[in-house]
Amino acid sequence: MSKRTIMAAGNWKMNKTPGETKEFVNALKGLVAGSNSEVVIGVPSVCIPAATEVAKGSNIKVAAQNVHFEASGAYTGEVSCAMLKELGVEYVIIGHSERREYFGETNEMINKKARAILDAGMLPIICCGETLTQREQGVTAEHVRYQIKIALLGLSADEVSKLVIAYEPIWAIGTGKTATDEQAEEVCAVIRQLLVELYGNDVAEKTRILYGGSVNAGNAKALFSMPNIDGGLVGGASLKLDAFEQIVKHDA
Ligand code: 13P
C-alpha cells in the first residue's frame, strides 16, 4: 500500500450550474466527512465561489479546471491565479487532454501554468496520457515521459513533491473503457521512475500520481490499491453523489 494519501478528485468538466454546485457540495459534505482520502472537486470557474463557500469548514477542497499563466492583462475570457486563490481554490487541473485537443494547450503552456500556480500558493494537477494510436504504436512511455518532463521544467524538488500528476489515457476518457489495473499501474510506474531520474527517490516517493479514465465505484478500489496509483481523477462518476461517495470511500 502506498504511503501517500489517496486523492479522489472529481473533474466536473462543463457540468453543473452554481446553484447545482451548492446543492451537490452541501450533500457531499456529510457523505465524505472523516474519509481517509483527500477529497477534491474540480468545478467550472463560475461555480468556484459557490463551491468554496459551501465547502468551507469541511474536508472538501476545490480545484479549478484551467487558469492563464499571466498575472493580468489583455487576455479576454481568461482567469488568473490570483483570482482563483482569492476564492479559496487549492488545486488547478492543467494539461487535460480536452484542453490540449480543443484549446491548443501545449506542454510549454502547461509548464508556464504550473509555475504560476505554484507561485500563487496553489498546487497543479498535471494531466498526461496517450492516444489509442500512440498506445498501439508502442510509444506510450516515451510520450508520457516527454509530456511530464516539459511540464516540470524548472520546478524545484520541493514543488514536485507536493504537486499531483494524473495519468489519463485518452482512449479511456468518457468511453467506459477503463485501462486495466496493470496497464494503469505500468504507466504510473514509468512516471514515478521519471521522477526518480529527475529529482531522486525521496521526491518520487512523495509525489502523488493519479489514474483517470472511466474510474467508477466498481473499479476504484482495485486501481487505487496498485503500488504507484495514488487515487483517481474522475469525470462522469464525480457528477453523481452516490458514485463519488463510493469512490472516496473505496477502502471502507
Ligand atoms: P471519465 O471519468 O468520465 O472517463 O473522465 C476522466 C477524465 O477526463 C477526468 O479528468
Side-chain angles (χ1 to χ4, degrees):
M1 251 332 247
S2 156
K3 297 183 289 291
R4 299 166 288 270
T5 304
I6 295 283
M7 173 182 281
N11 175 10
W12 288 6
K13 309 189 180 182
M14 197 170 72
N15 292 290
K16 296 194 194 291
T17 65
E20 290 166 346
T21 300
K22 275 191 187 168
E23 205 176 311
F24 186 95
V25 179
N26 211 14
L28 184 67
K29 276 200 293 194
L31 299 176
V32 302
S35 83
N36 298 325
S37 312
E38 184 175 2
V39 184
V40 178
I41 50 169
V43 306
S45 56
V46 295
C47 299
I48 290 170
T52 51
E53 185 193 315
V54 180
K56 206 171 234 163
S58 77
N59 61 334
I60 300 171
K61 296 179 179 172
V62 176
Q65 299 175 10
N66 181 38
V67 73
H68 197 279
F69 48 80
E70 293 292 351
S72 63
Y75 301 101
T76 302
E78 293 293 319
V79 162
S80 75
C81 287
M83 296 171 193
L84 299 180
K85 177 71 179 171
E86 191 174 306
L87 290 175
V89 167
E90 295 184 59
Y91 289 97
V92 186
I93 300 167
I94 54 174
H96 193 282
S97 59
E98 288 149 19
R99 294 222 51 93
R100 293 176 190 260
E101 183 181 350
Y102 306 134
F103 305 100
E105 201 160 304
T106 64
N107 292 318
E108 288 73 14
M109 287 160 71
I110 293 156
N111 176 242
K112 287 186 189 172
K113 290 181 183 200
R115 179 71 271 146
I117 292 162
L118 289 159
D119 285 344
M122 301 180 290
L123 294 170
I125 299 176
I126 304 173
C127 304
C128 61
E130 82 288 4
T131 61
L132 188 57
T133 307
Q134 287 166 332
R135 174 158 286 266
E136 287 171 351
Q137 291 303 311
V139 297
T140 296
E142 55 192 289
H143 176 70
V144 167
R145 280 174 58 94
Y146 179 80
Q147 289 181 312
I148 294 301
K149 220 167 167 175
I150 305 290
L152 299 183
L153 264 179
L155 304 189
S156 73
D158 182 55
E159 288 168 338
V160 173
S161 70
K162 291 181 184 134
L163 58 73
V164 179
I165 295 171
Y167 166 57
E168 301 204 306
I170 296 169
W171 48 271
I173 295 177
T175 57
K177 196 175 161 195
T178 322
T180 64
D181 304 339
E182 291 73 24
Q183 284 173 324
E185 165 62 17
E186 187 183 14
V187 183
C188 290
V190 164
I191 297 168
R192 199 168 308 281
Q193 178 53 36
L194 173 66
L195 297 178
V196 172
E197 291 166 30
L198 296 174
Y199 293 95
N201 272 311
D202 286 359
V203 171
E205 278 304 307
K206 286 186 187 140
T207 310
R208 280 174 303 170
I209 304 175
L210 314 182
Y211 166 77
S214 300
V215 173
N216 59 43
N219 60 26
K221 184 176 180 163
L223 283 162
F224 300 177
S225 339
M226 300 306 278
N228 285 291
I229 301 179
D230 308 313
L233 185 56
V234 187
S238 76
L239 297 168
K240 301 179 204 115
L241 272 175
D242 55 343
F244 193 56
E245 179 197 6
Q246 286 178 58
I247 292 167
V248 170
K249 297 180 176 168
H250 62 279
D251 55 349

